[in-house]
């Protein structure tokens, strides 16, 4: 399968003061094939949302490369960049705050079409908006409704219609179902899968919910404090998690099955400070297998088994 | 489970909100009871009436709009609904206390966390302990929830989300209440922190012999913490039973319960497509006739569209569904 996007040593540091930098994304490598989904999991503050935004150009990268079908987007002039950014869209987490409350559904979905001048007549625009609404399962009677008149699931459908308006090839889904109830969440997940199949989309699916990411992804990347600690095909990652953080994450999820009652083994402590982080493995302070080597040298991502990469000194 | 005294009995609780858009039927005839040391889970989606039920027990409903129109809430046999405001104030915090969903907004940003814990001890200071003794108790409580006592002079913004929730728990447990109501206590937290907080709650419950109402939308959290489960939909308990009865998939269940389980992606088994519950939660100002779930139900019968709904009862397991009536059809569904 052909590769669509490749990120090489991608970094985003936010400058806080002359000497302090927040390492939001710190040297991440990955590639996404056409029609496939890369899941990105991690807890709040691990840099997964920043990564998604850097990728589609909403935040400027500090260094590294983003190759779109071989072209490095970070080296292009703004006008050239714009062409590529049409093909790359994003669906945001919170359908309550990501839609302009003063625009109707029609205006919201038409907005990307208008600003990119992709239609010739008014009739064409109306047709296209109608088509998109049908696609995402929004009844035509909502065409003049405002966001506050709709529930979360319908609002998220508007967000999806906006993202799909320009026929993108790549969509970053940034926690698209986290704000929704479970029964609605399943509707939206199915819709995203249908759209992927129909339009041949590639997704980067960002979430903190491991069961959702397992369901959606072909490959999964686990992030901790701006770095990728483990990357593997979805099936493999759940069958054979290697990094102590991945294991801890999996163990921490409460399972809706009998026999789960009672206390669990858990990792102690909280995510440490991403400002000027010390050398070595960033998970070391919470890790029960931590040894001297973990804090003395930076730990690189290595392929341990076929397509299964881990950044941990435990694995050679 | 050994037979123990009942801490709380809720009988036929009915709550309405009077709004501009009409009368909202938030809770419609909810009944359940909690024994000593027991945890009951109230599960359901947004708008199911979980939080309203909790607020009614505490009598913290918004005064202008919320009204309890029927039912009774008994705390150790004593009716709470007829109590005066002053009497309720003594019960809240002392006998029943609550942990709120969002630790970021539950704490006062202008008071140090030590002062906030002290406050609740001071209000319920019947034995007239000296300020020094209370101060010592504050230190003890902070250590109990795993925060060094020296941090009591810090303000809420100086703590992370997980630590703030620990402080909220310390405040709730300050007077060693017999009943703790936890309203989505871990929803705003990351999974690893959620696991820590759930463990802490479990540990403290054990230590203090507290009973608990766990309000959540997460069936995983229920499986980990609860003895009994009440599944709520549109202000009603549609299924009620022990954890084993509700989670054992070989038993009959309410179609909504089955829908909830099917809608979550599994960590262990491969599923190509999820089975969502079609449609939306009904407008509580305009509930459908008959069974409130019937417009979304795959197995809706003619008789579900109007009239009373059959109540199936087997031991402690209760299901409100016409499908469960003998002669209609076996309630088992795949």
């Amino acid at each position: 399968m052909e590769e669509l996007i490749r990120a090489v040593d991608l970094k985003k540091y936010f400058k806080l003061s002359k000497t302090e930098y927040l390492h939001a994304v710190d040297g991440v490598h990955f590639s996404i094939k056409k029609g496939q989904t890369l899941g990105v999991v991690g807890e709040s503050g691990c840099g997964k949302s920043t990564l998604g935004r850097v990728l589609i150009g909403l935040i400027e990268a500090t260094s590294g490369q983003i190759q779109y079908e071989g072209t490095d987007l970070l080296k292009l002039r703004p006008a050239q960049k714009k062409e590529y950014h049409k093909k790359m869209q994003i669906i945001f987490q919170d359908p309550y705050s990501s839609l302009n409350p003063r625009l109707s559904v029609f205006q919201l979905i038409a907005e990307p079409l208008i600003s990119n001048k992709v239609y010739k007549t008014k009739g064409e625009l109306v047709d296209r908006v109608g088509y998109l609404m049908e696609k995402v399962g929004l009844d035509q009677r909502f065409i003049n409704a405002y966001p506050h008149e709709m529930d979360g699931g319908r609002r998220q459908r508007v967000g999806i219609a906006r993202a799909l308006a320009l026929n993108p090839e790549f969509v970053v889904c940034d926690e698209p179902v986290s704000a929704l109830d479970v029964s609605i969440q399943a509707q939206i997940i199915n819709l995203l899968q249908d759209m992927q199949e129909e339009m041949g989309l590639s997704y980067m699916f960002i979430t903190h919910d491991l069961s959702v990411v397992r369901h959606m992804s072909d490959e999964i990347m686990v992030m901790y404090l701006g770095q990728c600690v483990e990357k593997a095909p979805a099936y493999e990652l759940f069958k054979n998690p290697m990094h102590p953080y991945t294991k801890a994450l999996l163990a921490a999820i409460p399972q809706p099955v009998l026999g789960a009652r009672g206390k669990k083994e858990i990792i102690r402590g909280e995510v440490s400070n991403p400002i000027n982080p010390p050398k070595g493995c960033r998970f070391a302070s919470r890790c029960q297998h931590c040894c001297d080597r973990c804090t003395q040298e930076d730990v690189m991502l290595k392929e341990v088994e076929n397509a299964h990469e881990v950044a941990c000194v435990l694995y050679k | 489970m050994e037979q123990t005294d009942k801490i709380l009995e809720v009988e036929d609780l009915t709550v309405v909100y009077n709004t501009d858009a009409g009368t909202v039927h938030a809770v419609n005839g909810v009944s359940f009871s909690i024994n000593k040391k027991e945890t009951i889970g109230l599960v359901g989606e947004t708008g199911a009436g979980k939080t309203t039920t909790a607020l009614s027990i505490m009598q913290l409903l918004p005064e202008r709009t919320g009204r309890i129109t029927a039912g009774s809430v008994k705390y150790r046999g004593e009716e709470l609904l007829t109590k005066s405001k002053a009497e309720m104030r003594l019960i809240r915090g002392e006998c029943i206390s609550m942990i709120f969903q969002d630790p970021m907004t539950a704490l006062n940003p202008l008071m140090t966390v030590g002062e906030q814990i002290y406050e609740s001890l001071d209000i319920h200071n019947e034995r007239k302990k000296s300020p020094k003794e209370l101060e010592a108790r504050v230190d003890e409580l902070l250590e109990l929830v795993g925060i060094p006592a020296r941090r009591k002079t810090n303000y809420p913004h100086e703590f992370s989300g997980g630590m703030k929730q620990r402080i909220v728990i310390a405040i709730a447990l300050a007077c060693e209440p017999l009943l703790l109501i936890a309203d989505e206590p871990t929803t705003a937290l990351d999974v690893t922190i959620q696991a820590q907080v759930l463990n802490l709650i479990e540990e403290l419950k054990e230590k203090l012999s507290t009973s608990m109402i766990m309000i959540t939308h997460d069936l995983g959290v229920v499986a980990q913490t609860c003895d009994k489960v009440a599944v709520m939909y549109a202000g009603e308990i549609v299924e009620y039973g022990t954890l084993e009865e509700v989670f054992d998939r070989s038993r009959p269940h309410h179609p909504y319960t089955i829908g909830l389980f099917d809608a979550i992606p599994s960590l262990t088994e491969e599923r190509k497509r999820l089975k969502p519950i079609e449609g939306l939660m009904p407008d509580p100002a305009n509930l459908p006739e008959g069974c409130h779930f019937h417009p979304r139900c795959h197995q809706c019968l003619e008789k579900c569209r109007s009239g009373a709904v059959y109540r199936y009862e087997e031991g402690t397991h209760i299901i409100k569904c016409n499908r469960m009536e003998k002669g209609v059809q076996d309630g088992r569904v795949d």
Side-chain angles (χ1 to χ4, degrees):
Chain A
M1 227 172 304
E2 243 182 294
E3 186 178 287
L4 186 72
I5 287 187
R6 172 175 287 270
V8 184
D9 201 19
L10 201 57
K11 284 183 186 164
K12 176 64 204 180
Y13 295 171
F14 291 102
K15 190 173 180 179
L16 301 177
S17 70
K18 262 187 186 148
T19 51
E20 286 184 321
Y21 287 88
L22 190 148
H23 296 221
V25 176
D26 206 355
V28 170
H29 301 257
F30 60 86
S31 69
I32 304 173
K33 295 194 182 90
K34 276 187 185 161
Q36 298 242 307
T37 302
L38 173 71
V40 180
V41 263
E43 297 180 282
S44 15
C46 73
K48 53 194 194 303
S49 285
T50 306
L51 176 64
R53 280 158 210 231
V54 165
L55 210 56
I56 65 162
L58 287 181
I59 298 176
E60 209 180 324
T62 304
S63 68
Q65 290 179 17
I66 301 168
Q67 295 169 3
Y68 193 95
E69 291 179 316
T71 317
D72 185 0
L73 297 185
L74 299 179
K75 293 215 174 73
L76 295 179
R77 277 178 283 121
Q80 290 171 303
K81 255 187 202 167
K82 199 176 170 200
E83 281 313 302
Y84 281 96
H85 288 158
K86 271 190 210 171
K87 301 182 196 172
M88 305 162 84
Q89 295 294 327
I90 184 165
I91 299 166
F92 293 101
Q93 167 171 5
D94 185 2
Y96 295 84
S97 58
S98 62
L99 300 177
N100 185 339
R102 289 167 179 252
L103 297 185
S104 68
V105 169
F106 178 83
Q107 290 169 313
L108 283 165
I109 301 177
E111 199 182 20
L113 299 166
I114 294 170
S115 60
N116 284 287
K117 301 187 184 70
V118 290
Y119 68 100
K120 290 195 190 74
T121 64
K122 184 86 200 282
E124 227 174 279
L125 179 70
V126 174
D127 285 351
R128 178 78 185 146
V129 171
Y131 168 80
L132 284 163
M133 284 179 73
E134 199 189 314
K135 266 259 138 101
V136 298
L138 261 182
D139 204 279
Q140 295 294 328
R141 71 192 154 98
F142 288 106
I143 194 155
N144 291 316
Y146 286 85
H148 75 270
E149 298 172 89
M150 294 184 294
D151 63 279
R154 291 214 179 91
R155 278 186 239 200
Q156 197 55 297
R157 287 176 197 269
V158 175
I160 295 172
R162 272 167 69 88
L164 299 180
L166 296 169
N167 276 327
E169 292 172 344
F170 174 66
V171 180
V172 173
C173 308
D174 188 1
E175 304 256 18
V177 296
S178 310
L180 307 174
D181 269 320
V182 274
S183 69
I184 309 300
Q185 174 179 321
Q187 294 175 6
I188 298 296
I189 288 175
N190 282 350
L191 173 67
L192 287 171
Q193 284 183 319
D194 291 343
M195 292 296 113
Q196 177 165 42
E197 215 157 282
E198 226 169 277
M199 304 172 67
L201 294 170
S202 306
Y203 286 145
M204 173 183 257
F205 199 93
I206 299 169
T207 179
H208 66 275
D209 187 328
L210 281 139
S211 48
V212 170
V213 87
R214 172 188 154 108
H215 184 80
M216 283 297 292
S217 316
D218 297 293
E219 199 181 24
I220 296 174
M221 182 161 111
V222 182
M223 281 184 78
Y224 191 79
L225 274 178
Q227 294 179 331
C228 169
V229 295
E230 184 160 2
K231 194 165 67 179
Y235 176 73
E236 164 73 15
L237 187 84
F238 281 86
K239 199 184 67 182
N240 182 22
M242 290 184 180
H243 197 280
Y245 179 62
T246 313
K247 287 183 183 167
L249 259 189
L250 284 170
I253 312 169
Q255 291 278 312
V257 289
L258 285 175
R261 186 84 166 79
K263 278 185 71 178
K264 296 211 271 188
E265 273 299 303
I266 44 166
I267 43 170
R268 305 220 60 87
E270 301 183 6
V271 176
S272 50
N273 196 344
I275 300 163
N276 296 348
K279 217 161 67 175
C281 172
R282 304 227 166 131
F283 185 62
S285 61
R286 299 174 81 184
C287 186
Q288 51 181 347
H289 305 289
C290 177
C291 59
D292 289 348
R293 279 177 61 208
C294 301
T295 49
Q296 281 161 5
E297 52 191 296
D298 276 336
V299 188
M300 296 317 220
L301 204 62
K302 281 181 302 230
E303 186 163 342
V304 177
E305 269 168 38
N306 189 23
H308 193 151
E309 294 172 50
V310 190
C312 180
V313 295
L314 292 178
Y315 300 93
K316 278 272 169 191
Chain B
M1 176 128 307
E2 62 201 287
Q3 272 301 312
T4 35
D5 48 334
K6 284 206 165 32
I7 294 294
L8 189 83
E9 284 168 278
V10 176
E11 203 68 54
D12 200 28
L13 183 71
T14 307
V15 184
V16 297
Y17 290 109
N18 295 313
T19 67
D20 293 343
T23 307
V24 172
H25 299 274
V27 176
N28 310 307
V30 160
S31 308
F32 60 89
S33 67
I34 304 161
N35 294 332
K36 196 154 195 213
K37 286 187 171 188
E38 208 171 47
T39 302
I40 181 169
L42 296 186
V43 219
E45 298 178 282
T46 318
K50 313 183 291 280
T51 300
T52 302
T53 304
L55 293 178
S56 311
I57 295 168
M58 299 285 279
Q59 293 191 36
L60 287 173
L61 287 170
E63 244 172 68
R64 279 158 181 270
T65 52
R67 210 153 45 84
I68 299 170
T69 55
S72 85
V73 177
K74 288 201 183 105
Y75 172 75
R76 304 179 85 185
E78 235 178 295
E79 179 61 53
L80 292 185
L81 296 185
T82 52
K83 289 223 183 294
S84 70
K85 277 188 185 171
E87 287 170 320
M88 265 321 284
R89 218 171 287 138
L90 290 178
I91 288 174
R92 280 196 291 262
E94 173 112 27
C95 308
I96 310 177
S97 60
M98 191 155 171
I99 302 172
F100 294 92
Q101 169 169 1
D102 187 0
M104 328 292 161
T105 51
L107 293 171
N108 184 340
L110 297 178
M111 279 167 83
T112 66
V113 299
E115 283 166 6
Q116 297 187 50
I117 301 174
Y118 185 91
E119 191 184 29
S120 97
L121 290 168
D122 196 30
I123 289 170
H124 299 286
N125 190 8
E126 272 149 28
R127 271 185 253 148
K128 302 269 179 274
K129 286 188 191 156
S130 67
K132 214 169 172 183
E133 283 174 288
L134 293 184
E135 237 7 283
R137 176 80 179 132
V138 170
D139 294 358
E140 199 183 301
L141 280 163
L142 278 172
E143 298 283 352
L144 189 70
V145 296
I147 293 174
R150 64 185 154 77
R151 294 205 62 186
K152 69 179 173 187
T153 52
N154 287 137
Y155 287 88
H157 75 269
E158 296 171 89
F159 293 90
S160 68
M163 287 176 95
K164 270 187 245 185
Q165 196 60 302
R166 286 168 189 269
I167 291 158
V168 173
I169 292 170
I171 295 172
L173 294 176
C175 302
E176 308 201 350
L178 280 177
L179 177 65
L180 183 64
I181 303 178
D183 188 0
E184 306 256 13
T186 56
T187 307
L189 308 175
D190 276 319
V191 274
T192 57
I193 308 301
Q194 161 171 300
Q196 292 173 3
V197 170
L198 289 180
N199 270 4
L200 175 71
I201 292 177
E202 196 73 2
E203 214 177 276
L204 296 178
K205 255 194 68 200
E206 200 61 36
K207 216 183 261 178
L208 308 171
S209 317
T210 314
S211 311
M212 183 163 75
I213 301 179
M214 175 63 109
I215 297 173
T216 179
H217 65 276
D218 188 331
L219 289 164
V221 171
V222 174
Q224 204 190 319
T225 57
C226 299
D227 304 298
K228 282 198 229 161
V229 186
V231 181
M232 291 190 72
Y233 185 79
E236 273 186 340
I237 294 178
V238 294
E239 184 165 346
Y240 181 68
T242 63
L243 184 72
E244 288 73 26
E245 283 164 343
V246 177
F247 276 63
D248 182 353
R249 308 223 46 188
S250 63
R251 285 171 191 265
H253 292 294
H254 193 279
Y256 178 64
T257 311
I258 295 171
L260 272 186
F261 274 100
D262 282 345
I264 31 177
S266 162
L267 264 184
T268 44
E269 45 183 300
E270 211 63 47
R271 258 188 237 155
K272 259 265 158 325
R273 259 181 97 77
L274 298 176
K275 274 194 265 172
I277 304 172
E278 295 302 336
L280 302 166
M281 203 65 151
D283 176 3
N286 191 11
L287 287 175
E289 290 227 6
C291 170
H292 298 327
F293 186 62
H294 87 257
R296 302 176 76 182
C297 186
H298 284 296
Q299 309 172 308
C300 177
L301 303 167
E302 205 38 58
K303 63 189 290 192
C304 299
R305 296 179 205 277
S306 59
V309 182
Y310 179 76
R311 183 184 151 106
Y312 163 92
E313 220 173 321
E314 194 194 285
T316 49
H317 198 184
I318 297 168
I319 302 171
K320 278 191 196 149
C321 180
N322 286 328
R323 286 259 169 200
M324 299 301 300
E325 200 170 353
K326 277 221 172 67
V328 173
Q329 200 192 310
D330 192 0
R332 250 162 254 242
V333 239
D334 290 312

